[in-house]
DNA sequence: TTGTATGCGTTATCAC
DNA sequence: GTGATAACGCATACAA
């Protein structure tokens, strides 16, 4: 292991005081050019890197951001978080921050973890993936003035805090439009039961587009919990109606896969999230710009950290339709 | 925000010196029972948690572990890392450690990141997922006495460092046996090109099992880079031979999916990794005990950190075959 | 512009 | 068994 090189080491090497080294690092403009060059050269030669722990003790900032990692829930949607995490880590590193992981069983447990993380590691901020109606976690954080950004907007109060989200409605609208343009008229929607902000938003996009083209969505709407079997059930149910649909816009790749199986491949189907499953079976799906979303989350969070803590910011990103063989 | 509660706060509340509080935390046995109880009560009442930054400055240990997060490579295998990360984070937290993420483009870049992380954050150790022949990363870490554990064994020198791995050969052996027991005799292997430790190991499991049952594997072995199209190509190639196989043991779910498509669903197929794709389409696949593997990695790493740095440890875990509809 | 002194919260060394 | 003191590496107010 290389010797530990501190500010003192650099100072001695560059023949200046420790303070001057600190100035070069934190307020370069107040140091004379020639001195600064000498110090910078010493830093490079010695390979000096500031010790975060010491810096944190002094400044109270850890340069650490936290995000929760969830167990792959229903299996099919796990890669979404994966891509988001990678994007976050990359963007954070570019800004001089690091990402720390934590797990939690539920909201109450997560709040307990917030408390621990804050007390022990002095975390600078949190990125929450997803938020519910009346989220207790965001309230807890806000009450304590802990900086945070959510990926997913708060449905009950859009401007309460900063968030980044994908325009879900635009995604399903795009899928619906594509189906209409390729000749379909009876286009069904296989979604989640009403009540989830994201699901309702995606339903809206389908419904509005249908109406915009003077197509009647009545009776073409089904809702079920996420899952392949549920998607198949919904599709079968729709196919047995008097005037059955010729295409399905689905709220997730899981439901889409089910619909695809039920339809025997003879109907057009679109999914949502562009998961590996969609890529594997050639399912046309709405793709979220996850790396971009992650980067914007980091941007917003760091903006909160660095700049004035005044006001919140919202970012709405556009998804894109990845056309494959099923639509 | 609650007031900052330090050792001094606790000491004042419990009417003892700061040092006594520290003793209660680090060497409880040398403190008188009654005093210890009083201090512990104060800690609980005040909700005191040790400040990691300060502790780290003194002890040189950050209680931080790092792991690399990779961009979902070929799409289909992303969830494996996801599950592993969750398991790591969970196990680490239980032992009082936290997991930090980093990204890297290649080995050289990763080593640079090691250096930065070590210098800036005083990381306690690394978990590397996967290791190649003559891995420069493990050499770099070993040379500097940085504790690390790999998930995946070093193929060139099995006992050079501590690792946790899954018995790949046992996995394909199990799949092959299952196919033999259900009546198949011509069982092909769709693998990766020779040279990758993992791929060769999985091929061995198939080959050995065939021979154990007096079945001739000659001519039933194909190798291709990972991918659905490649799997389909291999399967088609095998199916046009004079005595075509009736079943395919595949080295990955991607290749298995391709084989499945090429065989038109009329042949038995098994995959490897039990990815969401396998779950979605009902593909029989070998499942790795990822949460367990992650926990063992953490165990080994912390053992290195706490205990004597003498000797290395190896853990080989058994995979299990998840039987679905394709075999 | 540069140098000096001080404290962040913790633990280790030493007297008591 | 307990309490004072120093030190970890850094950044800031202040004096030179």
């Amino acid at each position: 292991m290389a010797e530990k090189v501190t500010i003192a080491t650099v100072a001695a090497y560059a023949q200046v005081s420790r303070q001057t080294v600190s100035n070069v690092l934190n307020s370069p403009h107040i140091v004379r050019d020639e001195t600064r060059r000498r110090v910078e050269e010493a830093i490079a030669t010695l390979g000096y890197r500031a010790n975060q722990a010491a810096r944190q003790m002094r400044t109270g900032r850890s340069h650490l951001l936290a995000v929760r990692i969830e167990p792959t829930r229903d299996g099919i949607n796990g890669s979404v978080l994966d891509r988001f995490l990678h994007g976050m880590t990359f963007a954070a590193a570019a800004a001089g921050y690091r990402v720390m992981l934590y797990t939690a069983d539920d909201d109450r447990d997560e709040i307990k973890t917030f408390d621990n993380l804050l007390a022990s590691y002095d975390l600078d901020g949190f990125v929450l993936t997803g938020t519910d109606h009346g989220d207790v976690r965001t309230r807890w954080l806000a009450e304590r003035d802990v900086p945070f950004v959510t990926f997913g907007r708060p449905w009950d109060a859009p401007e309460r805090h900063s968030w980044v989200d994908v325009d879900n409605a635009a995604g399903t609208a795009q899928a619906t439009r594509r189906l209409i343009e390729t000749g379909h008229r009876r286009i069904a929607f296989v979604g989640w039961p009403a009540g989830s902000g994201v699901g309702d938003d995606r339903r809206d996009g389908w419904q509005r587009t249908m109406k915009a083209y003077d197509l009647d969505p009545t009776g073409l709407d089904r809702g079920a919990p996420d899952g392949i079997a549920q998607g198949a059930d919904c599709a079968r149910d729709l196919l047995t109606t008097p005037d059955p649909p010729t295409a399905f816009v689905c709220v997730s790749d899981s439901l889409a896969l089910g619909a695809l199986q039920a339809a025997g491949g003879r109907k057009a189907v679109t999914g949502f999230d562009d998961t590996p499953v969609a890529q594997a079976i050639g399912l046309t799906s709405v793709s979220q710009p996850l790396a971009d979303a992650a980067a914007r989350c980091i941007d917003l969070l760091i903006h909160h950290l660095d700049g004035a803590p005044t006001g919140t910011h919202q970012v709405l990103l556009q998804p894109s339709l990845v056309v494959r063989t099923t639509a």
Side-chain angles (χ1 to χ4, degrees), chain A residues 6 15 17 38 44 54 64 101 103 114 119 169 201 204 229 240 288 306:
Chain A
T6 76
Q15 314 257 40
S17 75
R38 207 169 67 237
L64 248 32
L101 255 30
T103 63
F114 289 161
D201 199 22
D204 268 7
T240 55
Q288 303 196 40
D306 290 341

Side-chain angles (χ1 to χ4, degrees), chain A residues 168-302:
Chain A
N168 290 282
T172 42
Q174 213 178 133
T176 308
R177 208 175 308 122
R178 155 88 189 172
L179 291 166
I180 293 172
E181 282 165 2
T182 54
H184 294 276
R185 288 295 170 268
R186 298 287 293 167
I187 302 168
F189 182 76
V190 179
W192 295 318
S196 83
V198 175
D200 296 348
D201 199 22
R202 294 183 186 177
R203 175 174 285 111
D204 268 7
W206 160 77
Q207 203 162 39
R208 280 210 304 266
T209 308
M210 289 292 277
K211 287 175 178 164
Y213 280 84
D214 270 330
L215 264 22
D216 186 10
T218 309
L220 288 171
D221 182 1
R222 292 292 182 282
D226 208 61
I228 298 164
Q230 289 82 350
D233 288 345
C234 287
R236 263 191 294 270
D237 181 38
L238 283 157
L239 288 171
T240 55
T241 55
D243 190 6
T246 63
F248 300 88
V249 171
C250 303
V251 77
S252 75
D253 280 356
S254 315
L255 288 167
L257 182 55
L260 206 57
Q261 290 175 352
R266 283 181 303 277
K267 309 289 178 181
V269 175
T270 69
F272 210 110
D273 270 350
D274 193 26
T275 60
V277 177
Q279 299 168 31
I281 63 175
L283 172 68
T284 293
S285 188
V286 178
S287 172
Q288 303 196 40
L290 291 169
D292 201 23
R296 302 303 294 270
C297 282
I298 296 295
D299 280 354
L300 253 40
L301 196 47
I302 291 177

Side-chain angles (χ1 to χ4, degrees), chain A residues 15-298:
Chain A
Q15 314 257 40
V16 297
S17 75
R18 297 203 315 250
Q19 183 48 26
T20 302
V21 179
S22 179
N23 283 339
V24 169
L25 292 167
N26 301 297
S27 320
H29 54 280
I30 70 167
V31 180
R32 186 166 16 131
D33 276 13
E34 193 259 325
T35 311
R36 188 177 61 234
R37 277 202 316 100
R38 207 169 67 237
V39 171
E40 281 167 348
E41 195 182 307
I43 288 176
T45 309
L46 266 27
Y48 166 81
R49 257 94 25 119
N51 179 310
Q52 286 297 328
R55 164 175 291 185
Q56 172 183 348
M57 275 234 291
R58 198 68 185 87
T59 64
R61 296 197 30 190
S62 62
H63 287 226
L64 248 32
L65 272 21
V67 62
R68 171 175 171 181
I69 180 154
E70 319 191 40
T72 310
R73 263 173 314 218
D74 51 15
I76 204 165
N77 284 323
S79 75
V80 173
L81 181 59
D82 222 16
R83 287 183 277 171
F84 186 76
L85 286 183
H86 185 266
M88 257 192 76
T89 306
F90 187 81
Y97 285 77
R98 295 285 169 184
V99 174
M100 180 185 279
L101 255 30
Y102 66 91
T103 63
D105 299 328
D106 52 41
D107 284 0
R108 226 174 58 90
D109 191 34
E110 185 160 4
I111 288 176
K112 211 171 127 193
T113 305
F114 289 161
D115 201 28
N116 277 325
L117 251 23
L118 254 15
S120 298
Y121 289 89
D122 260 319
L123 262 90
D124 285 350
F126 292 85
V127 172
L128 305 189
T129 55
T131 172
D132 303 323
H133 285 277
D135 202 308
V136 289
R137 304 169 306 160
T138 53
R139 205 158 60 97
W140 191 94
L141 291 171
E143 276 169 3
R144 284 156 187 77
D145 284 319
V146 179
F148 72 94
V149 171
T150 67
F151 176 42
R153 74 198 92 165
W155 298 97
D156 41 356
E159 306 204 349
R160 179 167 296 160
H161 56 72
S162 290
W163 52 259
V164 173
D165 205 355
V166 169
D167 192 341
N168 290 282
T172 42
Q174 213 178 133
T176 308
R177 208 175 308 122
R178 155 88 189 172
L179 291 166
I180 293 172
E181 282 165 2
T182 54
H184 294 276
R185 288 295 170 268
R186 298 287 293 167
I187 302 168
F189 182 76
V190 179
W192 295 318
S196 83
V198 175
D200 296 348
D201 199 22
R202 294 183 186 177
R203 175 174 285 111
D204 268 7
W206 160 77
Q207 203 162 39
R208 280 210 304 266
T209 308
M210 289 292 277
K211 287 175 178 164
Y213 280 84
D214 270 330
L215 264 22
D216 186 10
T218 309
L220 288 171
D221 182 1
R222 292 292 182 282
D226 208 61
I228 298 164
Q230 289 82 350
D233 288 345
C234 287
R236 263 191 294 270
D237 181 38
L238 283 157
L239 288 171
T240 55
T241 55
D243 190 6
T246 63
F248 300 88
V249 171
C250 303
V251 77
S252 75
D253 280 356
S254 315
L255 288 167
L257 182 55
L260 206 57
Q261 290 175 352
R266 283 181 303 277
K267 309 289 178 181
V269 175
T270 69
F272 210 110
D273 270 350
D274 193 26
T275 60
V277 177
Q279 299 168 31
I281 63 175
L283 172 68
T284 293
S285 188
V286 178
S287 172
Q288 303 196 40
L290 291 169
D292 201 23
R296 302 303 294 270
C297 282
I298 296 295

